[in-house]
Amino acid sequence: MATPPALQTARHCPYAPPQEHTRIRDADGGVGRVTLGSGQEAWVLSRLDQIRTMLTDARFSSDRQDPNFPRFSPGGRPTGGMRPSLIELDPPAHGAARRAVVGEFTVRRMADLRPRIQEIVDEHIDAMLAGPRPADLVRDLALPVPSLVICEQLGVPYADHDFFQVRSAAVLRRDTSAEDRDRVVHELVGYLKDLIASKAEDPPDDLLGRQLAQGRDPEDVLSLAFLLLIAGHETTANMISLGVVTLLERPDELARMLEDPERTLPAIEELLRVYTIAEFANARVTTEDVEIDGVVIPAGEPVVALSNAANHDPSAFPDAERIQLDRGARNHVAFGFGIHQCLGQNLARMELQVVFDTLFRRVPTLRLATPADELPYKDDAFIYGIHELPVTWGEAA
Amino acid sequence: MTRIVAELDRCIGAGQCVLADPGAFDQREDDGTVVVLEEHPADDTAVQRARTAVDTCPSRTLSLVE
Ligand code: HEM
Ligand code: SF4
């Protein structure tokens, strides 16, 4: 049998899924076969209903130790010697691990965090405005805000933030060599181990301290800490920068959004849908034969949800290719679906909300210093985004 | 009369229900699981919001029974 076509990881258009994937969705019944960057052949699902079914069916496992779990690049998966974290656990272990921490991320807890997030955002905008023009919005705002927020929540001292930013970016970049990735993971794990040990004696009132005070095993707290740092850092940063570009490119819609604070959250949902930045997080391995729309996927097979194609599925989202900030659809799978749906989603929503509500009001003359179609989009990363976002403001120079 | 049913052992605390209708749903402080505040949606708009909660709940915890 011929080798299936390669999974398309690079995007030729920032707003649209690759044609190879929409063709599977629209012409091939939604189920297809691809070859992954590791050389593995994998199944792909591409319609919204198929992906929701997959992600709520326990026969699709998240066990990354399984040799048939999808791998997107050659080489092994570094574990840093850690126990499997939340995102890798299947039921029933997953439920217990998730409930031990999800109280930290409820909608209400995130609302309580709002004033502190507002301060952090204001300080970073002040600093940007005090600096030279153009500024890089990724470096000055998009990266440091979520990074500072998650580090404060966990109880990581601010002095160590640069250390984290550099290393988590390297873990996520697709072109990082296997040796470099191993070394970086090792350094992060070593740091977190020491941090957790220092909190064990007299647990402070921060997320890691509270996990220890609940009597959770420090080894489990370590894998949780690592996951939260990696998962909460660059994802939100990428949505901030992609969102700023999109909104600046649509001044009329931006003006309407700013008229009514109720419009920000629906706009965020639409941005999440359109960009689906963490598309390849939705990967599984089958533990039994599963039939999806008449196709039998045998047990022990890698399966990847083409969430970006699904989030542009015209049968689920009318006029799906158009960005409509007031669409108000929350049935997208940008945060995944099923038991692993993003733990940090309400934190991410709150951060995006504060940034968008503040930035355009405080800096009404904000504009791109590089045309949107010439920006360095992250075609080389596991999570989609923009490397650098030059912006300027005030009178034209 | 329409009633909202939550199978608590399925809930993973995603909070999608609270986003859909903060008047009808809340989350417990300790483990983030759902608390149904308004078991019976009062009117058509409330039923509509409850449907959104049922549809967006990622762990299929919620259902509507007539
Ligand atoms: C816009 C930003 C974000 C996006 C698009 C995103 C996307 C995702 C996706 C698609 C998943 C599902 C993975 C799977 O099914 O295996 C996920 C899971 C997860 N995310 Fe996020 N995420 C974002 C922000 C955050 C933040 C801010 C945090 C933490 C502070 C976070 C922590 C997690 C964790 C812990 C999981 C695993 C949950 C579980 O397995 O039960 N994420 N995220
Ligand atoms: S949306 Fe579902 S999983 Fe999330 S808190 Fe509500 S009931 Fe629980």
Side-chain angles (χ1 to χ4, degrees):
Chain A
M1 234 182 356
T3 311
L7 177 82
Q8 299 297 308
T9 44
R11 298 188 187 187
H12 22 79
C13 167
Y15 315 123
Q19 278 163 10
E20 293 82 349
H21 295 175
T22 51
R23 199 191 52 73
I24 293 173
R25 183 190 69 200
D26 300 332
D28 290 354
V31 183
R33 299 273 292 158
V34 299
T35 303
L36 305 181
S38 59
Q40 271 175 312
E41 293 181 14
W43 297 84
V44 288
L45 304 180
S46 58
R47 294 188 180 163
L48 189 71
D49 56 339
Q50 291 171 338
I51 290 177
R52 285 177 144 224
T53 302
M54 161 186 169
L55 295 174
T56 45
D57 186 328
R59 293 172 295 177
F60 291 90
S61 162
S62 289
D63 182 5
R64 277 137 176 95
Q65 322 282 331
D66 188 312
N68 294 319
F69 191 88
R71 280 174 286 113
F72 295 94
S73 48
R77 194 181 302 280
T79 64
M82 281 178 293
R83 288 189 185 171
S85 70
L86 195 55
I87 202 162
E88 307 167 58
L89 294 175
D90 289 329
H94 174 268
R98 177 135 179 160
R99 280 184 190 193
V101 65
V102 72
E104 301 276 354
F105 292 94
T106 60
V107 173
R108 198 186 320 188
R109 281 291 279 279
M110 296 306 106
D112 293 344
L113 217 55
R114 183 173 190 139
R116 179 58 191 141
I117 296 177
Q118 183 70 56
E119 271 172 20
I120 292 173
V121 167
D122 278 322
E123 282 163 19
H124 283 84
I125 294 176
D126 290 341
M128 185 178 87
L129 294 178
R133 291 180 292 173
D136 175 9
L137 190 117
V138 171
R139 197 198 53 204
D140 290 349
L141 187 71
L143 267 176
V145 167
S147 157
L148 185 49
V149 170
I150 191 68
C151 284
E152 279 191 8
Q153 264 207 310
L154 291 178
V156 171
Y158 190 51
D160 298 333
H161 287 192
D162 273 353
F163 175 90
F164 274 106
Q165 234 153 48
V166 171
R167 283 163 187 78
S168 69
V171 174
L172 290 168
R173 246 196 333 273
R174 213 179 281 151
D175 62 357
T176 303
S177 71
E179 303 92 81
D180 283 349
R181 199 179 302 250
D182 271 347
R183 180 178 49 76
V184 166
V185 168
H186 200 77
E187 286 168 1
L188 283 169
V189 171
Y191 174 87
L192 287 171
K193 247 187 200 152
D194 292 344
L195 182 70
I196 290 166
S198 77
K199 292 178 192 281
E201 179 85 2
D202 179 18
D205 195 16
D206 52 40
L207 190 150
L208 296 180
R210 287 187 290 268
Q211 293 289 306
L212 293 165
Q214 272 185 44
R216 290 199 76 198
D217 188 321
E219 291 284 325
D220 292 329
V221 179
L222 173 66
S223 33
L224 174 67
F226 187 80
L227 174 64
L228 290 175
L229 276 169
I230 295 292
H233 228 124
E234 256 196 46
T235 42
T236 316
N238 289 334
M239 278 313 303
I240 292 175
S241 45
L242 290 167
V244 167
V245 174
T246 314
L247 293 165
L248 287 177
E249 290 287 281
R250 287 169 179 71
D252 297 345
E253 285 187 82
L254 173 60
R256 266 200 304 281
M257 185 186 95
L258 294 176
E259 273 165 23
D260 178 2
E262 299 273 307
R263 295 202 176 132
T264 312
L265 267 181
I268 289 169
E269 297 303 319
E270 179 68 348
L271 294 168
L272 287 162
R273 177 189 77 84
V274 165
Y275 289 109
T276 317
I277 57 165
E279 165 162 49
F280 302 116
N282 293 330
R284 299 292 185 264
V285 55
T286 49
T287 55
E288 291 174 37
D289 295 4
V290 190
E291 188 183 322
I292 299 271
D293 289 342
V295 180
V296 176
I297 303 178
E301 290 280 321
V303 187
V304 176
L306 298 178
S307 313
N308 196 23
N311 278 340
H312 292 81
D313 181 346
S315 70
F317 305 99
D319 209 357
E321 299 304 336
R322 231 184 79 222
I323 302 181
Q324 275 174 264
L325 294 180
D326 58 357
R327 180 187 295 270
R330 282 202 298 110
N331 55 337
H332 61 74
V333 287
F335 284 125
F337 201 65
I339 59 171
H340 292 282
Q341 194 183 54
C342 185
L343 177 79
Q345 58 181 291
N346 294 310
L347 176 57
R349 285 189 177 98
M350 182 56 76
E351 292 175 325
L352 291 166
Q353 200 178 352
V354 175
V355 168
F356 297 152
D357 279 349
T358 310
L359 180 66
F360 302 109
R361 287 199 172 82
R362 283 199 54 192
V363 198
T365 57
L366 189 77
R367 57 193 181 271
L368 300 180
T370 300
D373 56 4
E374 289 169 25
L375 290 168
Y377 291 96
K378 289 188 184 175
D379 280 328
D380 54 344
F382 191 65
I383 309 283
Y384 192 62
I386 307 178
H387 288 292
E388 222 175 272
L389 179 51
V391 292
T392 189
W393 56 88
E395 303 282 305
Chain B
M1 195 182 188
T2 311
R3 188 162 69 92
I4 300 172
V5 177
E7 277 178 78
L8 278 185
D9 54 339
R10 301 181 64 93
C11 177
I12 48 118
Q16 296 276 17
C17 53
V18 185
L19 296 180
D21 192 348
F25 301 96
D26 197 357
Q27 289 169 276
R28 280 170 51 126
E29 285 278 317
D30 52 352
D31 66 2
T33 54
V34 64
V35 180
V36 180
L37 302 172
E38 290 287 347
E39 206 178 328
H40 298 285
D43 52 29
D44 285 354
T45 4
V47 171
Q48 206 43 52
R49 281 197 298 260
R51 285 225 171 83
T52 304
V54 170
D55 182 49
T56 53
C57 169
S59 60
R60 309 251 152 104
T61 297
L62 303 172
S63 51
L64 283 184
V65 293
E66 293 302 325

